[in-house]
Amino acid sequence: GDLYKMKKIKTIFSEQKNQLSLPLIIFVYLSRAVFLISCFTVSSPEEAVYPLISFFLTYLISFCRLVSKEGSFLHSLSHRITVLICASSLVSCFIGQTLGVLEKIPDYDIVMSAVTGVMSTLFGYYVTLTLKDITNKRDCGFISSSAFFISGTIVLFRELIEFFCDFFFGTNFSHVEQIGDDHWFFRLFGIGKGVPQQRPLYDTDEDILISLVFSAITTAFIYIFLRSRNKNLYLKEKRKAFSFKALPERISDKIYVEIDKVKADTNIWDILIWWITRSSLLYAIISMDVVAEQILMAANLLGTFAITLMHLIFKPDSLFCKINYRVQSWVCLIVFTGSYMGHYTFVYNHLPRFDLFLHFVSGFITVAAGYYAARTFMNPGSKHNILLICIYAFCVSGFIMPFWEVFEFVGDFLFGSANQGFYWAPSDSSFFFKIFGHGVGNTSLYYLYDTIYDVLLALLTTVISTVWLYVSLLLKLRKENDCKSEAAEKITADC
């Protein structure tokens, strides 16, 4: 066994040499040395947590290759991911925390968030590329979108790690402090209507927002790169010259095609969910008195038509026209429970725990939406595809969590509401404190408790949903294969 492990370690080192150039290998080992030295040079043991985590993360790919079987997903992960981990950790951990640049230049946090967005997207790109070869147009969109959703999931876990480091070890990675009026956010967007209690949340939401923005920019570059690299898949066919006379006929044909797609993708229950949600939101808009709330509700109403509009606007061979209409049903469910029931009917006021229930259920809904989005790109016809679909569905859910928190933050900032629950005071009767205790973090950390609690509930159901999805798809595939085998045996016997 020891001899086998030694051979495997030698193989890992040789693969690393093949995948990385000499400067990159030197960069990786220098980064590890820097993180290890930083653990012993920081002023307090609590501050050594982050460089220690960074040091172990640089061995993540090597560890995955060591414990996994040859040819498996984990064994195929690229060593380039290690370079991305080192670069991201050096910018945030070593330069920002250990060298104290973040204390001297508070706006350096923007650089850290931007680098995290870029590096985590590239991480998602290499992970997806390990599992998926490009054979058609859809693969370019799948790899790009998968990289984007994986990036959002990494941003989510980064915020969780920062919070629990602060909670258990008394650090201040989340930077929960009262933001002054001279902060760049206020200089750019103004003071807004958010109450002072919301300000300790600004740094966390700022990190998420900047990371997602740079992740979106990186995703766009990845998609352009993949398209330019696979030009043969995008050879344009000769199209008929545009004619205004033929326009009504083309629109009519397009509508009939989309009606057929709706019939193929959905059933009567989907149609009911769509129009019950839309009619409820329309009624809410008409009956509301506050203009700001009407605008927010109108935006949600428009969101329920998002998939339909994509199908009508884009060309038939476009990726957006391939999205399954079942995704629209899950979008409507999210909007109905969160916007109509939560805000218009004021269920939150009558049932304070409804917010927790909503986040708990959101894990199931978002994984289902991610599953049908993944089905746009591929069918679960093999174990390999099933794994890809489940990873994609999980990361769609993981992306929606931080995106939703930013959406709540913007709503609180613009309209002075309290969607993020920054009023939540510590209480021994709370389920959160029964599980984790009070921790040793400073009192300003309490403002983040509701956000973290919401995320943890959604993450729990996301994991459960993804595991259930994976098992059910495998069982369905096995049943289909058994039926095919029985049919083949019957044909052979008849012959």
Side-chain angles (χ1 to χ4, degrees):
D2 293 337
L3 183 62
Y4 173 74
K5 287 180 182 179
M6 289 300 296
K7 287 182 178 179
K8 205 166 185 180
I9 291 170
K10 288 181 180 179
T11 304
I12 291 171
F13 276 109
S14 63
E15 288 172 344
Q16 188 180 51
K17 290 178 182 178
N18 293 332
Q19 293 182 16
L20 303 179
S21 61
L22 182 60
L24 289 178
I25 293 174
I26 294 171
F27 172 74
V28 169
Y29 281 97
L30 284 176
S31 301
R32 288 169 177 167
V34 166
F35 297 141
L36 197 58
I37 293 170
S38 300
C39 294
F40 299 99
T41 56
V42 291
S43 57
S44 63
E46 292 82 8
E47 294 180 4
V49 174
Y50 219 173
L52 192 63
I53 292 173
S54 300
F55 175 76
F56 283 116
L57 281 176
T58 61
Y59 285 97
L60 178 64
I61 303 303
S62 299
F63 178 76
C64 289
R65 283 175 167 265
L66 183 64
V67 299
S68 59
K69 296 179 181 179
E70 291 186 14
S72 65
F73 162 58
L74 293 177
H75 192 269
S76 304
L77 290 172
S78 174
H79 284 286
R80 293 185 181 92
I81 295 174
T82 303
V83 179
L84 299 176
I85 293 172
C86 290
S88 181
S89 298
L90 280 173
V91 171
S92 59
C93 174
F94 179 68
I95 298 176
Q97 302 288 343
T98 306
L99 296 184
V101 174
L102 191 57
E103 293 182 3
K104 299 172 185 176
I105 310 174
D107 287 344
Y108 181 75
D109 197 27
I110 300 173
V111 177
M112 291 167 54
S113 301
V115 170
T116 300
V118 173
M119 295 299 171
S120 57
T121 308
L122 292 175
F123 174 88
Y125 167 70
Y126 283 115
V127 168
T128 311
L129 210 60
T130 303
L131 286 165
K132 187 65 177 171
D133 295 325
I134 298 176
T135 57
N136 54 57
K137 290 181 183 179
R138 296 188 189 183
D139 293 337
C140 295
F142 177 81
I143 292 171
S144 304
S145 59
S146 178
F148 182 58
F149 292 135
I150 289 174
S151 174
T153 305
I154 290 172
V155 169
L156 170 72
F157 279 103
R158 184 196 67 182
E159 295 303 326
L160 286 175
I161 290 171
E162 287 185 350
F163 171 82
F164 280 107
C165 282
D166 297 344
F167 184 83
F168 289 118
F169 306 114
T171 54
N172 191 24
F173 295 135
S174 300
H175 296 101
V176 280
E177 63 259 347
Q178 291 290 334
I179 303 296
D181 293 346
D182 59 341
H183 193 267
W184 73 269
F185 187 87
F186 294 117
R187 293 200 301 268
L188 188 63
F189 298 106
I191 301 298
K193 296 183 180 180
V195 298
Q197 289 89 339
Q198 191 187 13
R199 293 197 175 190
L201 288 172
Y202 277 23
D203 185 84
T204 296
D205 291 293
E206 171 196 307
D207 291 348
I208 295 173
L209 184 60
I210 292 172
S211 295
L212 293 182
V213 167
F214 276 86
S215 177
I217 294 170
T218 309
T219 301
F221 277 107
I222 288 173
Y223 183 70
I224 293 169
F225 168 74
L226 291 175
R227 283 199 60 157
S228 62
R229 195 176 179 183
N230 299 273
K231 290 181 180 178
N232 59 310
L233 300 176
Y234 292 89
L235 295 175
K236 293 184 178 179
E237 299 178 359
K238 289 184 179 180
R239 297 182 181 275
K240 295 179 180 179
F242 179 78
S243 172
F244 281 104
K245 291 182 180 179
L247 187 60
E249 185 180 351
R250 291 176 64 179
I251 293 174
S252 176
D253 292 342
K254 178 70 171 174
I255 291 172
Y256 280 118
V257 167
E258 293 307 320
I259 290 173
D260 290 338
K261 286 184 181 179
V262 169
K263 290 178 180 178
D265 292 346
T266 63
N267 54 38
I268 186 63
W269 298 109
D270 294 291
I271 306 300
L272 283 173
I273 289 170
W274 296 358
W275 291 106
I276 288 172
T277 302
R278 290 164 182 170
S279 57
S280 300
L281 292 175
L282 185 61
Y283 174 77
I285 293 170
I286 295 170
S287 59
M288 276 180 167
D289 298 326
V290 183
V291 176
E293 292 290 340
Q294 287 178 322
I295 294 171
L296 189 62
M297 201 68 72
N300 287 322
L301 176 60
L302 184 63
T304 63
F305 289 94
I307 306 301
T308 303
L309 290 173
M310 286 181 185
H311 279 259
L312 291 174
I313 293 171
F314 290 95
K315 297 176 182 179
D317 58 346
S318 171
L319 179 65
F320 294 104
C321 279
K322 309 298 182 185
I323 298 176
N324 195 301
Y325 272 103
R326 187 63 62 84
V327 177
Q328 191 163 268
S329 304
W330 297 105
V331 172
C332 287
L333 278 174
I334 294 171
V335 171
F336 183 80
T337 53
S339 181
Y340 180 76
M341 291 183 64
H343 293 284
Y344 178 71
T345 62
F346 299 105
V347 175
Y348 288 130
N349 296 340
H350 303 295
L351 299 172
R353 298 290 180 182
F354 181 75
D355 181 55
L356 302 181
F357 169 76
L358 187 61
H359 283 280
F360 185 80
V361 173
S362 69
F364 298 109
I365 296 175
T366 51
V367 168
Y371 165 70
Y372 284 105
R375 287 292 302 271
T376 302
F377 303 99
M378 67 183 69
N379 292 317
S382 66
K383 289 183 178 180
H384 184 82
N385 283 4
I386 289 173
L387 178 62
L388 266 172
I389 288 171
C390 291
I391 291 174
Y392 193 90
F394 178 85
C395 291
V396 166
S397 183
F399 164 80
I400 289 175
M401 292 178 213
F403 180 81
W404 185 263
E405 293 302 325
V406 169
F407 181 76
E408 286 185 340
F409 165 78
V410 172
D412 295 344
F413 179 80
L414 294 176
F415 308 121
S417 52
N419 294 316
Q420 286 190 291
F422 43 76
Y423 51 80
W424 199 35
S427 171
D428 291 330
S429 61
S430 171
F431 193 61
F432 184 91
F433 293 101
K434 288 178 181 178
I435 297 175
F436 300 106
H438 283 270
V440 293
N442 59 61
T443 53
S444 296
L445 199 63
Y446 292 145
Y447 295 111
L448 272 176
Y449 281 11
D450 183 75
T451 296
I452 298 300
Y453 197 10
D454 292 345
V455 167
L456 287 175
L457 283 173
L459 189 60
L460 174 64
T461 50
T462 295
V463 172
I464 294 171
S465 302
T466 306
V467 172
W468 177 83
L469 178 65
Y470 183 73
V471 173
S472 61
L473 289 177
L474 280 180
L475 292 174
K476 186 179 179 181
L477 178 64
R478 185 180 297 177
K479 186 177 180 180
E480 289 175 356
N481 291 337
D482 290 341
C483 291
K484 288 178 182 178
S485 299
E486 289 176 5
E489 289 175 2
K490 187 176 179 181
I491 292 171
T492 305
D494 292 340
C495 293

